[in-house]
Amino acid sequence: MTKHFFGDTTVLLGRSLRHITRSMDTIITTTIMPIAFLLLFVYVFGGAIKTGDSYVNYLLPGILLITIASGIAYTAFRLFLDMKSGIFERFQSMPIARSSVLWAHVLTSLVANLISLVVVVLVALLMGFRSGAGVLAWLGVAGILILFTMALTWLAVIPGLTAKSADGASAFSYPLIFLPFISSAFVPTDTMPGPVRVFAENQPVTSIVNAIRDLFTQQPVGTDIWIALGWCVGLLIVAYLFAMNTYRRKIA
């Protein structure tokens, strides 16, 4: 059945995307909170935070990561609903590649999150965000965000398969949403007290945010981009292996 993987995944992806288009409120909901944070921090707190640049320019990379963390909660939720509805058992009785079921959900998450990210960037542009970054820099930002989305989506697959309730399936994303608050996403880390600063400077969000920010501002990315890619790829591999192992146990 492996040879049918791409065809099966395409068919199941179409099914999942149709569900998304029939409930566009899902994408709207996932963008409301990041946009609210963007408005709150720029127009309420922005004047009191000194970053050496327009605060919306400084803030946007962190808001993009929050957008992704918010969006993947729906991946876990949709996967949970499919598990409980019995559709997985029906799929397993058909001559299709088993992993295509999961890949369809993952790729649907990627598409939905990319739409949400575009909406947030458009709002940021209306608020004054500007970047002189060239095409290669924008492609670099897109590549990092896609890797981050894929990593968190495969992580979301695990609670989607194992949760006992719909709330439990999506609740795992809450710590991921708030992780940027203890990073360089909102304020420079050198303003933080010692232990908090050590944590902030050595967690994945800070290196990812710094790499995206440097690409937007046409600054040398230094080691941040390699650390960011290392975190994204490492998390993607670990999450994928755990998710596939969990899936095999579930359908065994």
Side-chain angles (χ1 to χ4, degrees):
M1 295 182 189
T2 304
K3 64 181 180 180
H4 301 300
F5 169 77
F6 292 106
D8 296 339
T9 301
T10 301
V11 172
L12 294 174
L13 174 61
R15 165 186 174 268
S16 296
L17 289 176
R18 283 193 294 273
H19 289 174
I20 292 290
T21 56
R22 291 169 186 166
S23 58
M24 289 302 292
D25 57 310
T26 298
I27 294 177
I28 295 171
T29 302
T30 60
T31 59
I32 286 176
M33 183 173 62
I35 291 173
F37 281 144
L38 192 61
L39 294 169
L40 175 67
F41 276 86
V42 170
Y43 293 128
V44 178
F45 302 132
I49 300 174
K50 306 302 179 184
T51 62
D53 190 10
S54 166
Y55 190 54
V56 67
N57 287 0
Y58 185 89
L59 185 65
L60 183 60
I63 295 297
L64 294 178
L65 299 194
I66 289 177
T67 304
I68 294 170
S70 176
I72 56 136
Y74 282 90
T75 301
F77 176 72
R78 288 191 297 267
L79 196 53
F80 171 81
L81 292 183
D82 273 0
M83 288 291 294
K84 293 302 178 182
S85 69
I87 192 69
F88 268 53
E89 286 77 6
R90 291 169 63 185
F91 284 148
Q92 298 313 313
S93 67
M94 300 177 182
I96 63 174
R98 294 189 173 188
S99 60
S100 63
V101 179
L102 288 188
W103 273 104
H105 278 279
V106 170
L107 294 177
T108 299
S109 172
L110 180 60
V111 172
N113 275 289
L114 288 177
I115 295 172
S116 297
L117 289 170
V118 170
V119 171
V120 171
V121 170
L122 291 176
V123 172
L125 286 170
L126 293 176
M127 294 172 61
F129 170 74
R130 296 295 182 269
S131 172
V135 174
L136 289 179
W138 276 98
L139 289 175
V141 170
I144 292 172
L145 293 175
I146 288 172
L147 275 176
F148 188 69
T149 301
M150 292 290 286
L152 291 195
T153 300
W154 278 108
L155 193 63
V157 167
I158 300 170
L161 292 172
T162 59
K164 303 300 182 183
S165 67
D167 289 338
S170 55
F172 89 102
S173 67
Y174 298 156
L176 300 176
I177 292 172
F178 288 102
L179 194 59
F181 287 91
I182 315 175
S183 73
S184 64
F186 295 92
V187 296
T189 56
D190 55 15
T191 64
M192 301 176 182
V196 178
R197 179 178 177 179
V198 170
F199 175 80
E201 291 180 346
N202 293 280
Q203 60 122 320
V205 170
T206 291
S207 58
I208 296 171
V209 163
N210 289 347
I212 293 174
R213 189 176 291 139
D214 288 341
L215 288 168
F216 276 150
T217 57
Q218 299 175 289
Q219 298 296 316
V221 292
T223 59
D224 277 321
I225 192 168
W226 301 114
I227 297 173
L229 291 174
W231 275 111
C232 290
V233 173
L235 180 58
L236 173 59
I237 293 171
V238 172
Y240 172 79
L241 292 175
F242 272 95
M244 291 303 296
N245 186 53
T246 302
Y247 180 56
R248 292 189 189 99
R249 292 203 308 269
K250 278 288 182 180
I251 65 175

